[in-house]
Every structure is written in structure tokens, then in C-alpha cells.
Amino acid sequence: MKLFLMRHGEAETFATSDKERKLTAHGVKECETAAKWLKLNAVDIDFALVSPYVRAQQTFQTVSQTLNVKASQTVVDITPDGDPSWVADYLDVLISENTELNTMLVVTHMPLVSSLLDILVANPVGVFFPTGGLAMVELEGHASKGQLLGFG
């Protein structure tokens, strides 16, 4: 199964709260570019997990305009200070219970996305994801010790 980990696009600096920060015009363009890269690497996304923060939701909406996303779920635990071990375990359960999934997308934040990538791949890479950045991981049967296939 291919898993795509994505950091949201560039967001405005200030808002009433961190949760409410919206994408900038540049952030929307980053998401459109990421969506084109995703389209080249996956025809459809079977399932997406999305942070409830506004910028992540907007990122997902922008990506969804280019890709066919069959199903999605907002997950309150994939925020900037979420627990990457919990997310990896959650992915493991989803994958084991839904063997028909071929592609998944996770739209989240730094530092969670970087820490999650390190848990999921056999050789941790310690990547700082730029806004709108993507990583593609091949997972064999469960969400651990996958192979990093590339960045977009």
C-alpha cells in the first residue's frame, strides 16, 4: 500500500487561534502543486485522514479538487502536537482492518508529520517537511518498517 504523508500548505501567521489559521494564496498554490504530484503517483486516494485545523482542511479540499478521494476522516489526534506513535498504531489498525486500501493520504502538521515518517520507515530520515511537502511510503501489510519511495 502507498501512504502519502503531507504537511499543510503555507498558512497565515496570525489568527484568533492556531487552529483557525488559514492558507495563504501561496499555500493554496503549494497544495495545487502537491495535488499534481499526487496525481502522477496515485490515480485515486482510497482513504484520507485529515487534521481538524483549518489550514489542513483547506489543504485537503484543494488536493481533492484534483484527485478522486474515495473516503476521508477528520482525526483530532493528528495536530501539531499529536503523538506520532498513536498515529502509527491507528494507521496499523486501519490497514489491517481494510485490506482493500491501496492508497492513503494523511494531511497534518510539523512536527508530527516528520516524526511519523521516522516511525513508519525502516531507515529514519529526520526530514523537515516544507509547507505543502509530501512523502510517499510503501507499506507492506502494516504501518511499520515501510520503504520511503520519494518526496513531492
Side-chain angles (χ1 to χ4, degrees):
M1 184 192 74
K2 284 185 182 175
L3 174 68
F4 298 92
L5 300 176
M6 182 176 187
R7 182 181 180 194
H8 61 79
E10 179 186 81
E12 60 191 6
T13 307
F14 299 105
T16 306
S17 72
D18 186 40
K19 295 175 185 180
E20 296 176 19
R21 292 173 47 217
K22 297 176 183 172
L23 292 180
T24 63
H26 178 71
V28 172
K29 289 179 184 176
E30 289 175 326
C31 296
E32 291 168 348
T33 300
K36 290 174 188 172
W37 185 86
L38 280 166
K39 187 137 181 106
L40 291 173
N41 289 283
V43 177
D44 295 317
I45 297 294
D46 293 326
F47 194 69
L49 301 177
V50 186
S51 162
Y53 285 24
V54 170
R55 60 192 180 271
Q57 292 287 320
Q58 290 177 317
T59 294
F60 176 68
Q61 291 167 0
T62 302
V63 167
S64 297
Q65 292 172 1
T66 300
L67 294 173
N68 178 28
V69 180
K70 296 176 183 175
S72 66
Q73 177 183 28
T74 297
V75 180
V76 298
D77 295 304
I78 60 172
T79 58
D81 53 357
D83 179 353
S85 295
W86 181 91
V87 179
D89 290 344
Y90 187 66
L91 286 169
D92 201 27
V93 169
L94 281 174
I95 292 166
S96 64
E97 291 180 353
N98 299 282
T99 56
E100 73 285 357
L101 294 176
N102 294 312
T103 55
M104 286 184 67
L105 171 66
V106 177
V107 181
T108 188
H109 313 263
M110 278 296 292
L112 177 68
V113 68
S114 180
S115 299
L116 180 59
L117 177 62
D118 281 347
I119 289 172
L120 297 178
V121 297
N123 298 309
V125 290
V127 171
F128 179 87
F129 278 70
T131 54
L134 283 157
M136 179 172 47
V137 177
E138 182 72 37
L139 297 175
E140 294 294 331
H142 54 83
S144 63
K145 307 308 175 212
Q147 178 183 359
L148 178 62
L149 300 178
F151 294 99

